[in-house]
Amino acid sequence: MNRVTGNLFIALGLITVQTTLTSSLAQTAVPPVIGGLQQHSDIEPLLAGGILLSELNCTACHSSNKKWLSFKGAPDLSGTGNRMIEDHLKEFITDPAGTKPGTTMPNLLDHLSEAERNQTAKALAHYLTSNGSGSVSNQNTASDSVERGRVLYHTVGCVACHSPENPIEGSVPLGSLESKYTLSGLASFLRNPLLTRPSGRMPDLNLNHEEAADLAGYLLRNQTRQVSPFILDVQLAEQGRILFNKHGCITCHQNNSGGEANQSIALKNLRENEGCLSNRKGNWPRYALSNEQKSDIIEVLQNINLRLNEEQEIQTTLTKFNCIACHRRNSYGGIAESRNEYFSSQDPNLGEQGRLPPTLTGAGVKLKPAWLRQILVQGAPGRNYLNTRMPQFPASHLERLMVLIDQTDQLPSVDPISFAKINDAKRAGRDLTGTDGLNCLACHTFKGKRTGAMGALDLTVMAQRLQRDWFHQYLLQPQQFSPNTLMPTYWINGQSQKPEILEGRTNDQIEALWLYLSEGYSAGEPRGLRREPMKLVSTNSEAVMLRRSYRGIGKRGIGVGYPGEVNLVYNAEQLCLAMIWRGEFADPAGVWRSQGHGTVRPLSRNPISFPQMPELAFLDRPNADWPTVQGRSEHYQFNGYTLDEQRRPTFRYHYLNVQVDDNFVETLNPESGTHFLRRTLVFKSISPQKTLVFRAAENAEIIAKNSNRFQIGNNLRITISKEFPAQIINLKNSRQLRVPIHSNSEETSMILDYNWEADRK
Ligand code: HEC
Ligand code: HEC
Ligand code: HEC
Ligand code: HEC
Ligand code: HEC
């Protein structure tokens, strides 16, 4: 049984029988699913009602000045045509709950006659699809990509909210993604869900390009539908724009249609069993509410002047964002039994703490406010042994939560402790940390290095994350904070096991550890820290890939180490070959040690670097200035890469309408017995009106050896296929090797060989 129908099946089983049916809708439709409410029905009905009013956007039309009832918002519909399929939009607009059971979007067209409804939905879908290039296409996904996507889906956290392949009741529905999205549309949605769904209910899971593509491939694995090209009908689109405003779409989907939100009766004046809460059709949205949902909403309408206390407000936010799918706070929330098996670890030695997200109990006294913010909004390094990721949410929606958590949690403070000589105290802290002291290294990493059997949270980020009072009290009694922790109690009954350090004074020892760890990454290394040489090399016959920051290239570098000891970094932001070198591949220790902020070091003394700017441009004259690009340019769009059987990549991107496939393979030179790098560029649909130019190299010294072979500086020789005569262009301080790409056909390919032979004269 496929996942989607599985969901539908289960969801249908949940409907409570309604007795006063007057509309066909109520009979068949699945009530809207709010993830946090489904999993945790222990919340008070009043809070549940308030959450429904905001998650179902009731307050978009029935205004209220209560913050906790403010409406969640709806997807941003600009660029719709770039990711979704017109036919599906039409079906969805005609009957949202029928097309996507459990959706939170109501039916706005229910009161129209069938013919009118169909015509209206058609115009609306056409208008929305016209927002975007409409150039959607379907591609098939390689089966290994689908498999990787399946693993990611079931490990990184998607199934905390959505259903795994074995369906689980009460999951946030995905609907029939196959009929809704194109592959590239879904992948770019997943890479940056907050762009299209700014409410943040679908958070950002920090997926890189490849992961997003794999997940999209998996989610669309059953897609067979062929997308027909979009043909714009200006009149129909304009009609759709007007209807978009007329039917109140604009009230929830704020966009550039030129309309204004329609306000109805204020929330506090609503009569309970009328309008949207009745089962009648009328000039109002139709929600497929269950009886329980209705009664929860009525609970709020009857207590409209009630004020929430701080903990209730916290619970409401944790439920709206479904933080409680992964976290527990006091006795509220926590991972559902049925989803527990999907939380897994990279380090089984660490037990449950190595597998499960941390508790939010006392988070306000534990974490420094700046760290709390960072972890919610930007992502912060920490427990990289958990396979589940902490998602990222939009800051604006969580400001209040951060303040509340900070205000509500309480912990007695620890008196200040001063030392005559602070450096002596720090040295004591270092001794305690090392293998001759309390040996924290047995379980914790230090500057990313792992010494003992376990690699729990890095000690050099503790002081950056934690508050001093908490640190003191945690070290005294770790069990009190997490009952099953592996973290030992070192000061049993307040007695130190190391009487020789700071005369065995417990509080002084803990403060000394705190001061020492407050030095963070610049703390001197404790005794016994193992230095691991870290090296990544291509073994056997496959290439290895490392997508990280590289010095001078930026964080969108993609390094590839080939068998045969040739290596490269491709710059996926500027879309150019960034660097090549021979020998071993790379040392990623810089990245691991600094928890993701450092750079990868190529294992070569003299890598050859190229300018970090696009390699392709349309130029008016052969010697025109080369265009520069700031940040990500809309003219250049990276589309990821594919891998061949030896896992060698072909990078793909668009420059305006030109599609480029850029492939690199190592190639043996039989004379020297060494390898060189062969690059094949394939250009598709070049506009014949302009001259497309490829920039092959830039250097103070470029010498033509013959018509297609060029010496670049001392170490590099580039050979270009004969059909493409290259030109050496003199610039102010250097020279460029440029290759005009003339083409009369749909597809043109060019081969470049990068040879290091020249340095071995
Ligand atoms: C797109 C706008 C819109 C949204 C969203 C909306 N409503 Fe309404 N609602 C209306 C309109 C329009 C009426 C009819 C009254 C009127 O003409 O203003 C109405 C009427 C009502 C009434 C009857 C009011 C009365 O006293 O006659 C209730 C109760 C109600 N809505 C509850 C809700 C609830 C609960 C939600 C969310 C689940 C909701 N509405 C969402 C537009 C909306
Ligand atoms: C914290 C809960 C949560 C997590 C974790 C989560 N999602 Fe979602 N997801 C949601 C919610 C809620 C929505 C609907 C959002 C809305 O109403 O705007 C959604 C929407 C979506 C949609 C859009 C469905 C549509 O109809 O267009 C897709 C696709 C999706 N999620 C996939 C994923 C994938 C893949 C992952 C893991 C990488 C994931 N989600 C992780 C809660 C979550
Ligand atoms: C009460 C608020 C509300 C109103 C009014 C509303 N929508 Fe929606 N709409 C939503 C929500 C919430 C979603 C997300 C639903 C989901 O993911 O299940 C959505 C989703 C959509 C989507 C899919 C977008 C995506 O990126 O996946 C389209 C298209 C859409 N609405 C069109 C319309 C049109 C057309 C109208 C007017 C007829 C309309 N909506 C009126 C709340 C609303
Ligand atoms: C898909 C599961 C998931 C969801 C949903 C989720 N988190 Fe997390 N959260 C995690 C994981 C995993 C970590 C551990 C991150 C680390 O330390 O590397 C974490 C860490 C945290 C921490 C740091 C705790 C500590 O002691 O270090 C806070 C605070 C936090 N989350 C708050 C939230 C809030 C608030 C929400 C909702 C807005 C939320 N989380 C939603 C998985 C989740
Ligand atoms: C036997 C293994 C072990 C030893 C030895 C050990 N720890 Fe821990 N420690 C852990 C584990 C496991 C955790 C929980 C990690 C997690 O939440 O992912 C932890 C958590 C902590 C935390 C709380 C971090 C947080 O954010 O929740 C601090 C602080 C800490 N350890 C400091 C130390 C110090 C200082 C030492 C040496 C004096 C030490 N640990 C020795 C296993 C150990």
Side-chain angles (χ1 to χ4, degrees), residues 412-481:
S413 61
V414 173
D415 291 339
I417 296 169
S418 54
F419 293 98
K421 288 189 178 152
I422 193 135
N423 283 337
D424 288 352
K426 286 181 183 167
R427 205 162 304 126
R430 179 164 154 183
D431 292 343
L432 286 165
T433 306
T435 43
D436 292 348
L438 298 174
N439 196 9
C440 316
L441 300 182
C443 304
H444 289 277
T445 58
F446 191 96
K447 294 192 193 177
K449 289 183 218 170
R450 175 178 170 151
T451 304
M454 296 175 220
L457 273 162
D458 202 279
L459 289 171
T460 49
V461 289
M462 291 294 186
Q464 208 185 332
R465 304 170 52 237
L466 302 173
Q467 299 194 21
R468 172 180 169 271
D469 290 344
W470 190 90
F471 181 82
H472 265 268
Q473 296 179 38
Y474 178 81
L475 282 192
L476 279 176
Q477 286 184 307
Q479 320 289 333
Q480 210 177 34
F481 293 85

Side-chain angles (χ1 to χ4, degrees), residues 104-181:
T104 49
M105 162 140 154
N107 190 335
L108 277 298
L109 311 178
D110 198 38
H111 60 290
L112 303 178
S113 72
E114 194 176 334
E116 221 182 330
R117 181 160 60 234
N118 284 335
Q119 182 53 33
T120 306
K122 185 176 164 195
L124 283 166
H126 197 76
Y127 159 62
L128 292 174
T129 315
S130 72
N131 291 332
S133 67
S135 63
V136 294
S137 62
N138 271 359
Q139 292 161 273
N140 286 329
T141 320
S143 63
D144 59 339
S145 167
V146 170
E147 212 31 63
R148 285 195 301 272
R150 174 178 277 122
V151 172
L152 277 171
Y153 183 79
H154 290 91
T155 52
V156 296
C158 313
V159 299
C161 301
H162 300 293
S163 183
E165 221 163 294
N166 283 330
I168 295 183
E169 258 180 48
S171 299
V172 176
L174 289 173
S176 165
L177 298 174
E178 293 92 343
S179 35
K180 177 169 184 179
Y181 287 96

Side-chain angles (χ1 to χ4, degrees), residues 664-675:
F664 297 86
V665 293
E666 80 288 6
T667 309
L668 185 69
N669 178 342
E671 282 162 36
S672 64
T674 57
H675 286 82

Side-chain angles (χ1 to χ4, degrees), residues 489-531:
T489 307
Y490 285 103
W491 292 270
I492 298 165
N493 300 325
Q495 293 294 308
S496 172
Q497 304 168 17
K498 293 278 160 191
E500 67 279 17
I501 298 177
L502 297 172
E503 295 165 17
R505 288 188 303 271
T506 294
N507 285 347
D508 286 11
Q509 289 188 346
I510 297 178
E511 184 74 4
L513 274 167
W514 175 253
L515 291 173
Y516 166 59
L517 296 179
S518 298
E519 308 231 288
Y521 197 69
S522 54
E525 296 191 352
R527 185 175 293 241
L529 183 69
R530 199 165 69 199
R531 295 158 179 278

